[in-house]
Structures are given as structure tokens and as C-alpha cells.
Amino acid sequence: MNSNPEEALRESEERYRTLVDSIDQGFCVVELIFDERERPVDYRFLQVSPSFEKHTGLRDAQGKTMRELVPQLEQWWFETYGDIALTGAAKRFQNRAEHLNRWFDVYAFRIGEASRRQVAILFNDITDRKLSDDKLRESEERFRNLADNIPQLAWIADAGTDGEVHWFNKTWLDYTGATIEDMKGSGWRAVHHPDHADRVIQKFGRHVQEGMDWEDTFPLRGKDGQYRWFLSRMKVIRDEGGKVVRIFGTNTDVTEERQTAEQLRRLTAELSDLDRRKNEFLATLAHELRNPLAPIRNGLQILRLAGDNAAAAEQARTMMERQLEQMARLIDDLMDVSRINQGKIELKRERVELAKVVEGAVETSRPLIEENGHELTVTLPPGPVFVDGDPTRLTQVLLNLLNNAAKYTARGGRIDLRAELTSPERERPAEVVVSVRDAGIGIPVDKLPTIFEMFSQVEGALARSQGGLGIGLCLVKRLVEMHGGQIEAHSAGPGTGSEFVVRLPIVVEQAQARNIGDDDTRSPRADLRILVVDDNRDTASSSAMLLKMMGNDVRTAHDGEAAVRVAEEFRPQVVLCDIGLPKMNGYEACRHIRRQPWGKNMILVAVTGWGQDDDKRKAEEAGFDRHLVKPVDPQALMTLLAGLNVAKA
Ligand code: ADP
């Protein structure tokens, strides 16, 4: 310590100066300048530290006033320092000086008495820190905004724990209906499905501890108590040194994708099953269609060689008819299924007596039943029962069931057909329940659910299927359903017999006698001029021969142009015209004939390979009166001719 006061002052000043010179903060002493109304309007820099310029960007401030240096500095600064100068209350604050474009952290205090109006200011330029704080806040805000608005559930877990989550996004909270407090720490485990929780949480914990990314799929409970499936992914975030700082996770709802995938898997399985069945079906079809050809070919040969042997010829003919019949039935079934599938079968509904349907079916299947030595019993309810349906189709249904019973029952078996009435219940009208039960080979229980599907055949039964294609039952079911009915198959398994039960709604109001007038009892026409047009010469000539044998005058033509020509000179009353013809097709030929004066009253019958409604419509539009499906059944042709109202010429 120096005893000389002057020396001491000098030393103290020197220490002060050294301090001011050496501090890194900005420092200055200012003297406030007030106006006449005692309002602080400026201040003069009495002293500035060397670092002053670095913090403010102001040069040579000493001796100058602030207004000289920065004329537009906010009034706020003058008032703040004026206040300190007058009151002596020191202040610490952070503020922005707009015109310096800087942020300052300031500590200011008065020096000496109020009358000196001097304030010392210690300050730091904190602009950079402020900016990075703002940036951080902004980025944090942006992150939250984004995280809260993504469709995924998102969460953040702390590093170094076994997965304590401290933040969940809004989507998570909305989905679970929980608060952040409920979910925090390990609270989130509560929304995991009990069947999956252990597995998922164990694996998650292991990955967190080892600092590895993680992925898993599991159900999470929503606020409605329902579980949905989520694909959860966790990303481990590390600092530059590789230390795990944070764990970020998202859960994406994959419920629909899973359902779609499951559906796709099922569909693919179904498709490949269908494909397999279709392939089998095609093989069977080819086989079954070829089967009758060999005996027919043999029959033809026999006819050629039979000469006078009438018995042999007759036998061959009967056999050929039978084979043809079988082939036609197969093709009919196929066409029916295809038409039903396209919604093109129309029922010709009328009030039908059930007994007639049963009778028709039993009569037709009798040869097969007898051939197999089966015994058939039929039990019907007393009194007539009427159904609103298509008699042909209903007969087809029962015939199919009876034929199956006959086919799939060992020789000498029993078949029961039984019909019973049910009494009407509420919301369920009275029904008739027809059951066809056999004591045959039965059906494996696991095959019952699919037995009505197209091409469905039980393997062991194939040997007995006798040319079946596995479409009969499919057709039966569709026909029954078209009548508003239902069909079920019952069997206790192989060797236990089968029962097929058909339910049909009945017409309840009292029965009326059947309209017998509909019966067709007219005899065939035998005196017509008929033109047969077909590019297949065999078809044309055999049809012509048949019609001639019935006593008609017949000509043939093999293309459309010839058809028109022959029609003009021969003036037939009836033209049976194929559609697919060379030179001019059947429709065009028909239009041509219709336009001629002589063609107006001819009966034009289209003969086509396809009996679809569309074909019928086209034929009608072209001017055809009738439509027959190939191969034309002679009986149908006779009936058609008999019913024609032919212009006599
Ligand atoms: P198809 O008899 O031409 O094969 P269906 O559609 O009529 O075709 O029958 C499908 C399959 O259902 C048959 O192949 C057979 O395996 C089984 N099935 C049908 N009816 C019976 C029955 N009464 N008893 C045992 N199996 C039957």
C-alpha cells in the first residue's frame, strides 16, 4: 500500500484502467443529458473500454453523444439510463438496439450522486446467441408442428434408460385417448395388446440398451378399446462422438394393409384352387366329350355294314341316340351354368304343382335307378302343393339330385324322396321341404361346405360320377336360389349316405286346377315348303332328309346369297337359317328376304349355336320370327312347325 495519497490515487486509477482495458465485456461511462423538462434525451460517452467497439460497432465514441453516433436510437435506452441516473437503482436487462441491429445483455448502475448524472454500463453483444436460441426455438416449434400433424404416432425416449418415453405427439395422444402424463415413463406399455406386449417390450428394451434401430409390428389399443395394427420403427440418434442422445420412434397404422394382404392371400389361394379345379374340369370335359364319340363312330360303321340286318341297325341307332343324349346333356348343363353366371337365365314361372315336378323327375331318372337295382320311395304331403316356379327347371333340380343318389349309391341301395310342408312363421312364409336321401357312399364332412361349388367333385366318388363334371350341384343350387329357395347337403361322412334338402316357398292361396289347355297336343305339320340353310352340308342334308321324311317339300342352300336366291325361286313357307354363313351371314340374308314382297310373310327361323338372350335379340332385330338352338332337336322342330301359323301359298 502506498502512503502517499496522490500516489495511491494514481495507482488506483491505473488498476481501474487496467481492469477496464482488460475486460472482454463492453464497458462505458456515460453522462445523461436532459432537456428543459427534465427528460433524458441523450448521453455523452465519458469513457469507453477498448472492447466497446467490438460489442457495438461504434468507433471513437469517447467524448461524443449517442445521438451523434446513432441519431435514431430508440428513446427507450435514454429513459432506462436516465432512470438509473436519477434513482440510483441498478438494472440488468436484455434488449435489442434496432438501429445497431444487435442484442445486448446489459448491467447498468449509477456512479456517484444523482447530480452527476453518470451511469456505468457493462454489456455484452449477445446477438449470435439470441439468433441461435431463436433458431433452436423455431426448429423445435417446426418439429413439434410437424410431429403433431403427421398421421403416424410418434414418440421420443431418453437415451440410457430402458426406453422411458418422455414425449408423445398429438396423434399418439389422440389415438390412445391418454394424456402425456399417463403415457410417460413406462405408462405406454398399457396400450399394448396382452398377447404381444411381452415379446414387443423385451425386444424393444434390448435394442434401446444396445443402441440399435428397432422395428416391429403389433397391435395398439385405441381410445375406443379396439386394437389396430402398427408398424413401429425406432431410430437411434447419436451426437458427433457417437453417443446416443435420443431415440425417436414412429408407429404407422398398417391395419388396412394387413387386411388387404390377408385378402390378397386368400384370393390367391382361392384363385389357384379355382384354377386347379378348372384344369381338372377341362381335362374331364375333353374326356367326357370324347367318350361318346367312339361308340357313335362304331355305330355309323355298323349302320354302313348292317345291310339287311335290321336288328343290328336298330341296336346301333339306340346306342348312338343314348350317347348323343348324354353329350347333349353335358353341353346343356355347361350352357346353363354359363348363362346363370351371366344372369341370362330367365325362369318361365307359373303356378306348378309339386307332385308334377316330382313325377317328371322320377320318371326321367327311373331308368338309371332301375339299372342300378335301387329301391325308390316317394312320400308327398296329402293334397296338392303349389310352387311359383319354372316346371322344367324345378324338375331339373330334383332329377339331378335323384340321379346323383342313384350314381353315388352301391347297387341295390335305397333312395327316399320326401316332401313336407312347414307352417308359416313370422317373417318366413310357408315352405315345402323336399329331401332326397340315399344310403350311398356319403360325403366327407370337410367337403360339405364346397360341394355346391362349380367343378367340385369328391375324389373317391369320381369312379362313380359316370361322366359328371361337377357342375350338377352348382346348377341345382343356383336354380333353387333363383326360385327363392335354399339347398343344404348333409352327410355324416363316407359310407353313411347323403341327404340333400331343398326348401322352396309355396303359393299359399288355395290351389287351382292346372291350366291343361297349355298342353301341346297338335300333330306335326307335314305339308310345308321348307328351305334349310346351313354351310355344313351334312347338317343341311340330314335336316332336309328328316323334314322330307315327315312329308315336307325341302330345298337346301349353303351360303347366304344362295339362301336368298333359292328363297326367291322356291318361295318356301318356312326358312330354317343358320347364322354363321359364307358370303352373307344369316342376319343379312334374313333382312334381304324380308325386304322383298315375297319375303314378307315367310316364317324365318334362326338356327344358332348359342341360345343367349343377346343372340335371340339380334335374330329378332334382323327379322326372324323364331329362334332355335343347334343341334336342332327333331321333336322341337316338329313342335315348332306344328305351332306355326303358316301362310298358305
Ligand atoms: P357330378 O356328379 O357330375 O360329379 P355334381 O355337381 O352333381 O357333379 O356333384 C358333385 C360331387 O358331389 C360329385 O362328384 C360327388 O363327389 C358328390 N356327390 C353329389 N351327390 C352325392 C351323393 N348323393 N352321394 C355322395 N356324393 C355325392
Side-chain angles (χ1 to χ4, degrees), residues 569-583:
E569 55 184 60
F570 178 51
R571 302 286 167 92
Q573 289 144 303
V574 179
V575 181
L576 299 176
C577 187
D578 187 21
I579 296 300
L581 289 174
K583 294 189 186 165

Side-chain angles (χ1 to χ4, degrees), residues 225-503:
Q226 304 292 318
Y227 285 89
R228 293 184 69 82
W229 281 83
F230 288 86
L231 165 66
S232 192
R233 285 210 169 108
M234 172 182 93
K235 188 98 193 114
V236 172
I237 299 165
R238 297 168 186 276
D239 65 11
E240 280 150 19
K243 196 167 135 273
V244 177
V245 284
R246 201 167 262 193
I247 292 163
F248 183 72
T250 56
N251 302 41
T252 309
D253 190 333
V254 290
T255 314
E256 255 118 59
E257 283 85 337
R258 280 176 64 93
Q259 279 164 356
T260 313
E262 172 58 20
Q263 224 169 359
L264 216 72
R265 202 194 49 70
R266 224 184 26 241
L267 272 177
T268 315
E270 273 170 22
L271 261 178
S272 72
D273 188 46
L274 208 71
D275 188 48
R276 183 185 55 75
R277 289 222 302 265
K278 208 164 229 169
N279 282 338
E280 282 173 14
F281 162 76
L282 280 177
T284 322
L285 177 63
H287 185 247
E288 293 311 326
L289 286 179
R290 213 179 42 200
N291 259 351
L293 288 183
I296 290 175
R297 192 180 281 143
N298 292 343
L300 284 173
Q301 192 66 17
I302 293 170
L303 284 184
R304 191 172 300 137
L305 301 177
D308 293 341
N309 189 342
E314 180 55 28
Q315 206 181 354
R317 207 164 24 241
T318 322
M319 174 199 68
M320 284 161 70
E321 266 167 19
R322 207 171 43 236
Q323 295 297 330
L324 210 66
E325 189 72 13
Q326 185 176 332
M327 205 158 160
R329 214 174 34 236
L330 267 179
I331 293 171
D332 280 351
D333 274 4
L334 271 174
M335 303 256 299
D336 277 354
V337 169
S338 125
R339 277 152 65 190
I340 287 188
N341 282 345
Q342 297 173 52
K344 284 186 174 165
I345 263 198
E346 264 179 41
L347 296 181
K348 298 192 183 68
R349 280 179 184 264
E350 59 183 71
R351 181 198 298 270
V352 201
E353 192 180 348
L354 180 74
K356 296 274 176 216
V357 172
V358 172
E359 201 180 300
V362 167
E363 275 326 302
T364 318
S365 84
R366 194 176 293 287
L368 186 65
I369 293 175
E370 283 172 359
E371 197 180 299
N372 284 285
H374 299 317
E375 190 189 326
L376 170 72
T377 60
V378 176
T379 318
L380 296 179
V385 175
F386 290 90
V387 182
D388 173 31
D390 182 331
T392 316
R393 296 304 187 179
L394 289 176
T395 307
Q396 194 180 355
V397 165
L398 293 187
L399 175 62
N400 240 303
L401 297 180
L402 284 171
N403 280 351
N404 275 354
K407 279 175 0 186
Y408 300 109
T409 299
R411 242 196 116 61
R414 263 190 70 110
I415 302 171
D416 291 312
L417 187 155
R418 170 180 291 272
E420 277 171 359
L421 287 176
T422 63
S423 38
E425 290 165 25
R426 240 161 27 113
E427 290 170 22
R428 205 186 160 104
E431 288 174 332
V432 60
V433 182
V434 185
S435 121
V436 177
R437 185 205 293 265
D438 62 54
I441 62 169
I443 301 166
V445 175
D446 64 322
K447 295 284 192 246
L448 285 173
T450 52
I451 200 88
F452 293 105
E453 284 175 15
M454 181 101 132
F455 317 137
S456 154
Q457 290 186 309
V458 178
E459 264 147 48
L462 263 175
R464 296 169 173 275
S465 84
Q466 301 183 5
L469 290 170
I471 52 181
L473 285 181
C474 170
L475 192 60
V476 163
K477 182 167 197 274
R478 306 292 284 267
L479 288 174
V480 168
E481 285 170 354
M482 283 176 80
H483 280 88
Q486 290 157 349
I487 183 164
E488 284 166 10
H490 301 283
S491 175
T496 63
S498 317
E499 184 185 17
F500 287 82
V501 180
V502 177
R503 296 167 169 273

Side-chain angles (χ1 to χ4, degrees), residues 577 585-595 604 619 622-624:
C577 187
N585 74 26
Y587 297 134
E588 290 171 56
C590 174
R591 280 197 205 97
H592 215 86
I593 292 173
R594 275 288 182 243
R595 278 201 293 271
L604 300 180
F624 281 107

